[in-house]
């Protein structure tokens, strides 16, 4: 309960800031629907960048297990750098998805409330159908995005484990121990890329719907 009392004012403050932001944007002609479309497109870009980063990490891992003499410390540093970059990319993807949820909730709440302002029954029913259809597409997209987001976690866990193991055992035996991990990481990254491609494709369809 104590934590709830601490967090409640912060959540209310964040909500008030978001409301003020949306109001300010509407005054210059940018509505929640526009913001939602922009954020979905930004999430697409973030996922595409994450895909490339995870591919880069896989390439570095492939180079690592083929190590055949040289500066092992530099190899470790390159491996750790790729892991850190993947972590940052994953955080960015999550932040983008969270920002989509924020504006989508505000848009759908507003749309639902404004249905009561109609005096023309036919127009009201048509708008209600469009709201239901848009929400259905959005919920499907969000589920796909969250699945792709979740698929990053086992990859990050494996990359972290491998990086730590290499850090603690900077020798040829460590490289040999990690060779058996490559196929598993490659499989997880391929699954991640496939999930993200599905999310990106759905995003394009959803944005097209918003802009109709």
């Amino acid at each position: 309960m104590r934590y709830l009392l601490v967090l409640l004012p912060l959540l209310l403050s964040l909500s008030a800031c978001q409301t003020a932001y949306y109001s300010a944007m509407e005054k210059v002609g940018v509505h929640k629907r526009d913001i939602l479309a922009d954020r979905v497109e930004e999430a697409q870009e973030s996922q595409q960048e994450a895909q490339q980063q995870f591919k880069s990490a896989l390439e570095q891992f492939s180079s690592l297990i083929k190590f055949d003499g040289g500066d092992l410390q530099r190899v470790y540093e390159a491996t750790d750098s790729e892991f850190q970059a993947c972590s940052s990319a994953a955080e960015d993807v999550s932040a983008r998805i969270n920002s989509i949820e924020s504006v989508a909730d505000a848009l759908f709440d507003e749309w639902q409330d404004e249905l009561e302002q109609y005096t023309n029954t036919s127009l009201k029913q048509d708008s209600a159908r469009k709201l239901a259809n848009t929400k259905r597409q959005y919920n499907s997209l969000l589920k796909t995005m969250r699945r792709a987001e979740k698929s990053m976690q086992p990859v990050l866990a494996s990359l972290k484990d491998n990086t730590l193991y290499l850090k603690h055992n900077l020798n040829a035996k460590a490289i040999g121990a990690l060779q058996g991990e490559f196929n598993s990481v490659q499989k997880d990254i391929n699954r991640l890329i496939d999930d993200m491609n599905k999310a990106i494709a759905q995003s394009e369809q959803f944005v097209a719907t918003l802009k109709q």
Side-chain angles (χ1 to χ4, degrees):
M1 179 62 73
R2 182 173 71 251
Y3 297 114
L4 180 60
L5 292 175
V6 172
L7 287 173
L8 186 57
L10 176 60
L11 294 174
L12 292 174
S13 175
L14 290 173
S15 177
C17 289
Q18 288 285 354
T19 300
Y21 169 74
Y22 298 140
S23 297
M25 293 300 287
E26 285 185 2
K27 289 179 181 178
V28 295
V30 181
H31 299 279
K32 295 180 182 70
R33 179 185 290 265
D34 304 314
I35 297 172
L36 177 56
D38 287 344
R39 290 186 179 180
V40 171
E41 289 176 337
E42 289 168 355
Q44 280 182 284
E45 294 174 2
S46 179
Q47 289 175 319
Q48 289 167 341
E49 291 170 0
Q51 284 181 324
Q52 294 305 313
Q53 181 53 58
F54 278 96
K55 286 179 181 178
S56 177
L58 183 62
E59 290 173 1
Q60 172 57 32
F61 192 13
S62 178
S63 298
L64 167 64
I65 61 175
K66 294 175 184 176
F67 178 78
D68 186 25
D71 189 344
L72 193 52
Q73 177 64 31
R74 290 184 63 182
V75 173
Y76 157 71
E77 290 173 357
T79 302
D80 182 59
S81 178
E82 290 291 343
F83 164 66
Q84 297 298 336
C86 285
S87 295
S88 295
E91 289 175 3
D92 187 61
V93 168
S94 294
R96 297 294 184 185
I97 297 173
N98 291 340
S99 72
I100 289 171
E101 274 199 281
S102 175
V103 68
D105 289 345
L107 170 63
F108 295 139
D109 286 345
E110 178 185 71
W111 195 340
Q112 184 66 51
D113 291 342
E114 289 179 345
L115 287 177
E116 301 307 315
Q117 298 179 25
Y118 279 95
T119 57
N120 185 304
T121 302
S122 177
L123 292 178
K124 178 179 179 178
Q125 290 175 343
D126 184 61
S127 184
R129 281 193 295 270
K130 288 180 178 177
L131 169 59
N133 183 57
T134 305
K135 287 180 72 173
R136 184 165 53 251
Q137 286 184 277
Y138 164 74
N139 287 331
S140 176
L141 171 61
L142 183 63
K143 183 178 180 180
T144 304
M145 282 186 163
R146 289 300 187 190
R147 185 185 302 118
E149 176 190 29
K150 187 176 181 181
S151 66
M152 291 188 288
Q153 298 312 309
V155 180
L156 288 172
S158 294
L159 292 178
K160 183 176 181 179
D161 286 346
N162 295 336
T163 302
L164 285 173
Y165 188 79
L166 184 60
K167 178 182 180 181
H168 298 154
N169 303 274
L170 280 175
N171 53 54
K173 288 185 178 179
I175 303 297
L178 294 178
Q179 287 177 342
E181 300 293 320
F182 180 79
N183 287 340
S184 176
V185 173
Q186 184 178 43
K187 183 179 178 180
D188 286 341
I189 289 180
N190 287 338
R191 183 184 300 114
L192 160 64
I193 291 172
D194 184 55
D195 287 342
M196 283 192 170
N197 282 334
K198 291 176 182 176
I200 290 168
Q202 270 193 257
S203 296
E204 292 173 352
Q205 295 173 358
F206 183 68
V207 169
T209 298
L210 290 176
K211 293 183 176 181
Q212 287 179 350

